């Protein structure tokens, strides 16, 4: 089954992006797609400006009262992958090809391992929490011991970069690559079970339905695909209006995905039918975040939108203070949200109304493309200044008066 919602005949993924954006920002996208070194200069584009001076009025003392740096660790090059917390350790990889584990409380190094090439994919832990899986720009896919950092096996079936977070079940791992293939491997030894030609590069995370009978992927050609997990048979394909960089979400029997142009689609996981669609203003690269029955979307223009997950009804928008946002939102206790832009400027807003509760700027931290994680009242986030940071949230952050 193939549902066509986008009729442009474009064969090259970079050309697809060129249709949407032009100028210097297009070069930035090509860096994302082809793995060029991190840009050290400012980005100048009429729709994607990054301010050189912070618009925030909070004092340094106020910022430090809200978020206090606990520790930081050097991973030698930019960190675009999101960290994962497994037990009492945090694991993350960098452009250096270094993947490391640190104690979440003290930041002490537990182990460091160098893989074959730069790492932008977020690692995913096995169900027994004894290993994790991650891909690299060298087109290799790894299984690594969580306790020691020892490489347990390496698969080289892919022929291009791997940026997407894999899906892992009890016995199998499934990953997508820039070569346009979705592959299923055995967890035991990394042998390939099947591969499916999706015919377009995959950057968004691979996900499964509740029964784990199918896997879903989204591509830079704007396609969403459903694949039978046991046999690797393509069940349906839905072609949308533009490339998909953002991670989608699956809630019940619905898949909600946002294209780079800001079009949001609710798709039946059973049939592939589009049940509703809506739009937000701007271009979306940041992962979607599901909070209860609400979906949070962030744009390159700094607009934060909240929509109802079942209907797509707009609940609120927030367009103050933030510049370009590439990281996903983090749900805090007391039903608040933490959002951060690429310049490390952050806001804390009320989940239900979008009202601004706190704002500030993380001092002495570089650009942030990595989505932060919350663990034990701590925000852990990677930066393009090569460091992984841990910030403690002040208790008052969780007890802001909800008016």
């Amino acid at each position: 089954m193939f549902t066509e919602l986008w009729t442009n005949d474009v064969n090259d993924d970079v050309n697809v992006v060129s249709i949407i954006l032009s100028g210097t920002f297009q070069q930035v996208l090509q860096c994302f797609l082809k793995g060029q070194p991190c840009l050290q200069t400012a980005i100048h584009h009429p729709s994607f400006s990054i301010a050189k001076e912070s618009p925030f009025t909070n004092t340094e003392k106020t910022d430090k009262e809200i978020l206090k740096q606990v520790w930081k660790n050097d991973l030698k090059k930019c960190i675009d992958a999101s960290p994962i917390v497994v037990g009492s350790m945090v694991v993350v990889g960098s452009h250096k090809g270094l993947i490391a584990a640190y104690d979440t409380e003290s930041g002490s190094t537990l182990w460091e391992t160098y893989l074959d090439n730069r790492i932008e994919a977020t690692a995913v832990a096995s169900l027994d929490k004894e290993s994790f899986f991650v891909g690299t720009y060298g087109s290799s896919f790894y299984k690594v011991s969580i306790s020691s950092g020892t490489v347990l096996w390496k698969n080289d079936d892919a022929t291009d970069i791997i940026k997407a977070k894999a899906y892992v079940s009890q016995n199998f791992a499934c990953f997508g690559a820039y070569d346009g293939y979705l592959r299923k491997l055995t967890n035991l030894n990394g042998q390939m079970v099947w591969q499916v030609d999706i015919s377009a590069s995959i950057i968004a995370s691979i996900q499964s339905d509740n029964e784990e009978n199918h896997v879903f992927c989204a591509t830079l050609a704007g396609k969403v695909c459903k694949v039978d997990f046991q046999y690797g048979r393509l069940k349906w394909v839905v072609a949308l209006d533009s490339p998909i960089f953002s991670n989608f979400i699956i809630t019940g029997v619905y898949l909600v995905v946002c294209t780079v142009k800001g079009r949001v689609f609710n798709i039946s996981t059973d049939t592939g039918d589009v049940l509703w669609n809506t739009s937000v203003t701007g271009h979306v690269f940041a992962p979607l975040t599901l909070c209860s029955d609400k979906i949070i979307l962030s744009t390159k223009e700094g607009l934060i939108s909240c929509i109802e997950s079942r209907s797509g009804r707009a609940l609120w928008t927030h367009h103050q203070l933030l510049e370009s946002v590439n990281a996903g939102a983090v749900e805090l206790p007391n039903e608040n949200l933490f959002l951060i832009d690429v310049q490390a400027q952050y806001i804390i807003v009320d989940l239900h109304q979008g009202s601004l509760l706190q704002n500030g700027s993380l001092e002495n931290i570089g650009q942030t493309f990595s989505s932060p994680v919350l663990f034990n009242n701590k925000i852990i986030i990677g930066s393009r200044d090569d460091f992984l940071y841990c910030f403690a949230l002040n208790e008052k952050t969780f007890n802001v008066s909800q008016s």
Side-chain angles (χ1 to χ4, degrees):
M1 177 181 178
F2 186 91
T3 304
E4 181 77 36
L5 297 180
W6 179 30
T7 58
N8 291 344
D9 182 15
V10 182
N11 295 319
D12 185 275
D13 290 328
V14 176
N15 287 339
V16 172
V17 180
S18 301
I19 292 172
I20 303 170
L21 305 168
S22 60
T24 305
F25 194 77
Q26 177 184 328
Q27 299 169 2
V28 176
L29 288 178
Q30 290 172 338
C31 289
F32 286 149
L33 300 182
K34 288 300 184 183
Q36 299 303 315
C38 299
L39 298 181
Q40 301 299 325
T41 57
I43 301 171
H44 299 287
H45 188 280
S47 299
F48 297 89
S49 61
I50 297 181
K52 292 184 178 180
E53 297 182 2
S54 170
F56 295 111
T57 58
N58 280 11
T59 65
E60 182 179 355
K61 180 179 179 181
T62 302
D63 289 343
K64 289 185 177 180
E65 287 177 352
I66 298 171
L67 283 162
K68 179 181 178 181
Q69 184 176 307
V70 179
W71 53 259
K72 68 176 184 177
N73 280 300
D74 186 4
L75 275 92
K76 312 305 179 186
K77 278 193 176 179
C78 304
I79 303 171
D80 284 345
S82 295
I84 63 168
V85 174
V86 184
S88 61
M89 70 172 66
V90 57
V91 177
V92 73
S94 77
H95 288 198
K96 185 69 173 177
L98 172 64
I99 194 155
Y102 306 103
D103 181 84
T104 54
E105 294 299 320
S106 66
S108 59
T109 302
L110 303 177
W111 52 258
E112 294 182 336
T113 298
Y114 282 91
L115 304 183
D116 69 296
N117 210 308
R118 69 188 275 180
I119 302 165
E120 284 195 28
T122 296
V124 56
S126 60
L127 298 185
D128 60 13
K129 309 301 182 186
E130 293 183 357
S131 59
F132 66 86
F133 301 82
V134 70
T136 72
Y137 263 57
S139 69
S140 295
F141 188 77
Y142 290 85
K143 179 182 181 180
V144 181
S145 167
I146 281 182
S147 61
S148 66
T150 302
V151 173
L152 302 176
W153 53 251
K154 173 186 174 186
N155 177 281
D156 289 317
D157 287 318
T159 60
D160 210 333
I161 63 178
I162 302 171
K163 291 185 65 173
K165 179 181 177 180
Y167 165 72
V168 175
S169 68
Q170 183 173 354
N171 297 311
F172 302 99
C174 185
F175 72 94
Y178 203 82
D179 61 11
Y181 281 88
L182 191 66
R183 294 176 174 89
K184 176 183 176 180
L185 312 178
T186 64
N187 289 353
L188 180 63
N189 55 21
Q191 292 296 307
M192 186 167 65
V193 179
W194 51 251
Q195 65 177 11
V196 178
D197 185 4
I198 303 299
S199 300
S201 300
I202 302 167
I203 287 183
S205 299
I206 311 304
Q207 299 190 47
S208 177
D209 54 18
N210 291 334
E211 298 179 353
E212 299 188 345
N213 294 326
H214 304 91
V215 287
F216 300 82
C217 66
T219 76
L220 293 183
K223 298 176 182 178
V224 180
C225 306
K226 176 182 179 179
V227 177
D228 175 84
F229 190 49
Q230 183 173 358
Y231 300 108
R233 296 169 182 160
L234 195 61
K235 305 294 286 188
W236 52 250
V237 178
V238 179
L240 304 179
D241 69 308
S242 55
I244 301 164
F245 290 85
S246 173
N247 292 338
F248 54 89
I249 60 175
I250 295 177
T251 169
V253 294
Y254 309 105
L255 183 154
V256 182
V257 62
C258 187
T259 64
V260 74
K261 285 185 176 180
R263 296 292 299 177
V264 186
F265 298 86
N266 181 294
I267 300 171
S268 166
T269 57
D270 182 28
T271 64
D273 294 332
V274 174
L275 305 177
W276 55 257
N277 71 87
T278 185
S279 62
V280 297
T281 302
H283 298 82
V284 177
F285 293 85
L288 306 188
T289 302
L290 178 65
C291 301
S292 184
D293 60 345
K294 300 175 177 62
I295 297 173
I296 310 302
L297 304 100
S298 306
T299 73
K300 281 291 179 183
E301 293 79 8
L303 176 71
I304 311 301
S305 298
C306 177
I307 64 173
E308 193 175 64
S309 63
R310 288 299 183 108
S311 66
R313 180 172 63 93
L315 299 176
W316 54 260
T317 59
H318 184 96
H319 200 181
Q320 299 176 16
L321 305 175
L322 294 185
E323 296 287 333
S324 178
V325 180
N326 201 73
V330 175
E331 186 174 9
L332 303 177
N334 254 11
E335 298 182 313
N336 297 332
L337 294 173
F338 174 88
L339 301 112
I340 189 167
D341 68 15
V342 298
Q343 296 297 81
Q345 299 167 149
Y346 68 85
I347 58 173
I348 296 174
V349 299
D350 169 45
L351 170 62
H352 299 289
Q353 299 178 351
S355 54
L356 180 66
L357 304 176
Q358 301 282 355
N359 68 273
S361 180
L362 300 182
E363 298 295 327
N364 303 315
I365 179 174
Q367 291 189 335
T368 51
F369 286 72
S370 166
S371 292
V373 295
L374 177 70
F375 179 75
N376 284 350
N377 291 356
K378 296 180 177 66
I379 293 284
I380 303 176
I381 186 169
S383 172
R384 286 204 157 187
D385 66 6
D386 307 349
F387 283 87
L388 180 71
Y389 292 87
C390 177
F391 293 91
L393 282 160
N394 190 297
E395 185 178 353
K396 76 174 185 179
T397 305
F398 304 129
N399 296 300
V400 177
S401 173
Q402 306 290 310
S403 57

